[in-house]
Amino acid sequence: MLDDKDRDPTSLFRRALRRALPPAIDADVKDLFDGDYYLRVNQDVRDANINPLRHFDRFGRQEKRRPSEWFSERYVFHGLDHSSHYGVPPLDAYLASKLQHKPRLVFVSHDASRTGAPAIILRLLEMFSKSGAFECFSILDDGGERLEEFQELSHTYVMSRNRHDKGFSDDEAFAEIARLFHRQGVFQNNQPVLAIVNSAESLRIAQGLARQGVPMISLIHEIAAYYGREKFTEFGACSEKVVFPSEFVKNAAAKFSDMDMSKAWVRGQGLLTDGFGSMDRMRCRRTLRENLGLEEDAFIVLNVGTMDVRKGGDLFVDTAKLCLDALPTDRPVYFLWYGKPDPNFSYPREAVRAHGIEDRVRFLPSTPEIEQVFLGGDLFLLTARADPFPCVIHEAMVCGLPVVAFREGGGAPELIGEDCGQIVDIYDLAAMAQAVLSYVDDPDLVNAHSGQAVKKIKDAWSYFDYQKDLYDLIKDVAPAPPSGWPALNPPEVPEHLVIMNATQHDLVVFESCEGFDPETPLDIALIDGRFSEEAEEVAERLKQLGHRVRHHQPKANDAASRAALVAKLLVNPRPQKLTLLNTLRFTSTAQLRLLAYPIHAVETGPHVDVDLLYLALPYLSALDLTDIKAVENLVALNPNAERLVSLMPLFQKSDLNLPGVGKP
């Protein structure tokens, strides 16, 4: 007989719950579970005094409770085995992938902003993550616009308060990191083999990781003179190796800190975007001049980046003034700076107005079409007072721009050398202006240095080269995982990429297309992911036909998420040829204009948007339609469409209402 205490609702709940719990636990569940965290965030489990792991295994996973502070659903659905995961809970998809048994790497960034240092570590994370050889974790001191990209490529944790919060002490930060790495948590059965810590701004996290015994390689992009001696010294103490992007940055560390320089290693990052610079140069030159209202024979001098004192916005303007004073007034030479202005640095704009050269020296906002800008220019003028190893130099050089830079302004001269540009003494603006003018007057010099710049970047400065060198360093300093070090292969460039929906309708359309060589395997990206119940059947049929198939996961089941996904599929690496099968609506004309490879679009059904097709047509190499009315309307709008547009013969009018047409 139950007494009053036993009849208490909480007691009854506890007994019922314990009876429902299974006697055995899936061993793999333990590899991503943190009992302390689970109890901390689930008061009902804590109050019931139940074993947190048993509760999670029986109930929490079905209720979609997070097993740890690390677990990222976006990572599960974007970066695992590329099956569709239709109807599969995130945890089950993760466990089925066996990712938790692979070697683990930790990536650290001071934030997720759209600036240079986060871009470097994010691209490195992307390559390790997409290799499938490692399970990746990220710690960010602060968030930012690119946070979701980190979450798609790794289990991601953002510190509760960042380094700028004066009420958040080092000891509190160390305690937070200790909580993430405690021995009964996520890493109890599979410790990270190494952490890659990016930027001097991440020192506090580096110190916290060192206290947890995590081996570390630090990537330091900053110049030590701008920091206290202790900061760089401490980085050396925390790290197995410290990687500097240039000898300039390494020498500054040796001079302005007490770092153990036996740990120093010099390796600059590679070109951030695979295939950058491969667009049609003549089209870009023409487009840039037309967009800005410049003469066809205009000579364009560029700089790209935040316009501030460090990057030398004032020196850019003053050099431009010297050049323009030396040139005939009818010689169309323009100085263009693309980037966000520093609101506290007004000199450049004031000087341009004072000199009356507003037409010849222009300040333009950042643009997603920056590759077109680089390819449309003639020369890159790097006026930075202190820029350790700017990413824009790789981009300028691979687009064929000679570079003029200061000798003591950073590490760029080490890459430019004597065959890809000219180096002058820092602050010698007369010499800098003379160097610029030497290119304006000598197209042969431009062409010679242009060709060498492109060759240098393509030969030795791909991001895979950078990743490979860092991986060799990792293997030198970190303990080998039990299964040994996995092989890393360079990303394969799709010869012909087909982007399509994972529906039976689109499969029928694919098999009806006459433009595909049946003997050539295609790379097919299915963009419905876990939102299509037909995805696995479609993929299996495509594989039977001999094609390489990968599922990709949009963030949500809507057109905007698919458009964001398609944009990512068109870079890193870029395909050599593209077919958009009922997916043209997920692109924009601005995006299509940037693509230099042949683009074949296939659109079916009565919901075809003729206005969209009309705008996209100039950038397509071929267009297949099933709607005769759409063909007629398109040719009426643009007579040139007749040579590009084909009516698919295997589709009759009665076929146009197949399910799936016109739906996201």
Side-chain angles (χ1 to χ4, degrees), residues 580-594:
L580 296 167
L581 198 158
N582 283 328
T583 52
L584 179 64
R585 62 186 179 277
F586 302 134
T587 66
S588 66
T589 53
Q591 186 180 50
L592 293 173
R593 185 170 65 244
L594 297 176

Side-chain angles (χ1 to χ4, degrees), residues 100 223 384 571:
Q100 67 275 21
I223 299 172
V571 296

Side-chain angles (χ1 to χ4, degrees), residues 200 218-236 242-266 388:
S218 296
L219 313 180
I220 304 299
H221 313 284
E222 295 84 355
I223 299 172
Y226 292 86
Y227 295 82
R229 297 188 73 88
E230 292 183 1
K231 194 160 195 173
F232 273 57
T233 303
E234 181 60 28
F235 254 116
V242 180
V243 180
F244 297 103
S246 64
E247 290 290 342
F248 177 88
V249 182
K250 174 189 170 185
N251 293 338
K255 182 177 180 180
F256 295 103
S257 79
D258 299 314
M259 179 183 288
D260 178 359
M261 298 309 292
S262 68
K263 295 182 177 182
W265 191 61
V266 175

Side-chain angles (χ1 to χ4, degrees), residues 419-480:
D419 55 350
C420 301
Q422 297 183 46
I423 312 301
V424 303
D425 290 338
I426 195 164
Y427 302 132
D428 189 344
L429 300 190
M432 179 163 270
Q434 188 56 48
V436 171
L437 293 172
S438 70
Y439 290 103
V440 173
D441 297 330
D442 191 348
D444 291 338
L445 180 62
V446 173
N447 292 334
H449 285 182
S450 172
Q452 287 297 321
V454 173
K455 183 177 186 302
K456 184 177 289 189
I457 300 301
K458 289 187 174 181
D459 283 352
W461 291 90
S462 75
Y463 222 82
F464 178 71
D465 291 329
Y466 180 56
Q467 180 199 24
K468 180 165 59 68
D469 289 346
L470 283 182
Y471 188 40
D472 288 341
L473 189 61
I474 289 171
K475 290 186 286 187
D476 284 344
V477 304

Side-chain angles (χ1 to χ4, degrees), residues 58 61 77 100 102 140 149 168 189 215 264 285 330 389-390 398 462 489 538-539 573 599 619 627 654 661:
R58 179 65 179 87
R61 58 197 294 181
F77 286 136
Q100 67 275 21
K102 295 181 179 179
L140 306 180
E149 295 178 66
F168 190 47
N189 295 323
R285 289 180 63 82
D330 60 348
F389 199 64
V398 82
S462 75
N489 299 312
V538 171
I599 306 169
Y619 312 109
D627 187 340
S654 60
V661 176

